[in-house]
Amino acid sequence: MLWYLIEGANIQQSHPKERHYEIFYVLIEDRQYAFKRDTFSNLWYFGDDENIENCIPCSRKDFDEAKKGWLSARFTKI
């Protein structure tokens, strides 16, 4: 159990306290959509809200398809 405690403390120290996101904008039919990528975990989100909890989780594939001009129906409900 001591090993798990030490390992947990080491992992917690290596994770950043504050998350940073890269923002990518895609233009589809004269409308701009934002995709965000977490620089630490490489997770993708759809939405332009500053609060990441209000954005929709998505994948890199969703972003690539949006660059080709196709946007998933679950994103257009916003």
Side-chain angles (χ1 to χ4, degrees):
M1 285 181 62
L2 183 60
W3 181 85
Y4 288 111
L5 177 67
I6 293 170
E7 187 65 21
N10 286 337
I11 290 172
Q12 187 176 20
Q13 289 175 356
S14 69
H15 286 236
K17 301 270 186 251
E18 190 174 305
R19 296 290 187 167
H20 298 282
Y21 300 95
E22 289 181 317
I23 302 174
F24 302 93
Y25 293 99
V26 177
L27 188 64
I28 300 175
E29 298 176 2
D30 297 333
R31 187 141 185 226
Q32 184 173 331
Y33 298 97
F35 286 85
K36 295 182 180 185
R37 184 183 72 86
D38 186 330
T39 56
F40 180 75
S41 65
N42 204 29
L43 294 175
W44 286 81
Y45 300 92
F46 175 80
D48 204 14
D49 197 325
E50 288 186 23
N51 187 359
I52 199 66
E53 293 161 357
N54 295 333
C55 296
I56 300 172
C58 65
S59 66
R60 171 68 191 248
K61 182 180 175 189
D62 293 324
F63 172 66
D64 290 336
E65 289 176 353
K67 289 192 302 185
K68 295 176 186 174
W70 186 83
L71 195 62
S72 175
R74 68 186 180 116
F75 301 143
T76 57
K77 292 180 182 178
I78 298 175

